[in-house]
Amino acid sequence: MVPTWFVVLSSRRFFSKADGKQSYNFFRTTYLNRSEIPAALFWTYCIGNVLLNGLNWFWFSKMVKTVRRKFASSR
């Protein structure tokens, strides 16, 4: 049985260029189809995408800081 963390790490490189490209593709697709999407939904998705990506970066930086502090104190 393959550990879950291995699947996650091997299937997605953390904060790679693909993350930015996926966000770009999301914005591009929603913008091109904005006439078919209600305005409130369009803005909710776009703002939500930015906020959730920002939150991901924030929590990831906190995790890295905590791990570094833990390993630095164990030396």
Side-chain angles (χ1 to χ4, degrees):
M1 180 175 212
V2 178
T4 304
W5 61 267
F6 179 77
V7 174
V8 171
L9 290 176
S10 63
S11 65
R12 177 180 173 164
R13 294 181 185 106
F14 289 110
F15 302 111
S16 66
K17 292 180 182 177
D19 292 333
K21 186 173 182 186
Q22 289 171 350
S23 286
Y24 170 77
N25 287 337
F26 170 78
F27 281 113
R28 183 171 172 251
T29 302
T30 54
Y31 183 77
L32 293 174
N33 295 309
R34 69 187 181 281
S35 61
E36 301 172 21
I37 304 170
L41 192 60
F42 171 77
W43 288 109
T44 301
Y45 281 170
C46 290
I47 292 170
N49 186 317
V50 170
L51 290 175
L52 290 174
N53 279 329
L55 188 60
N56 283 337
W57 278 96
F58 174 74
W59 284 116
F60 184 73
S61 68
K62 291 288 185 183
M63 288 188 294
V64 169
K65 184 178 178 181
T66 302
V67 169
R68 283 185 178 172
R69 192 176 331 136
K70 183 172 178 101
F71 284 115
S73 65
S74 66
R75 288 184 186 176

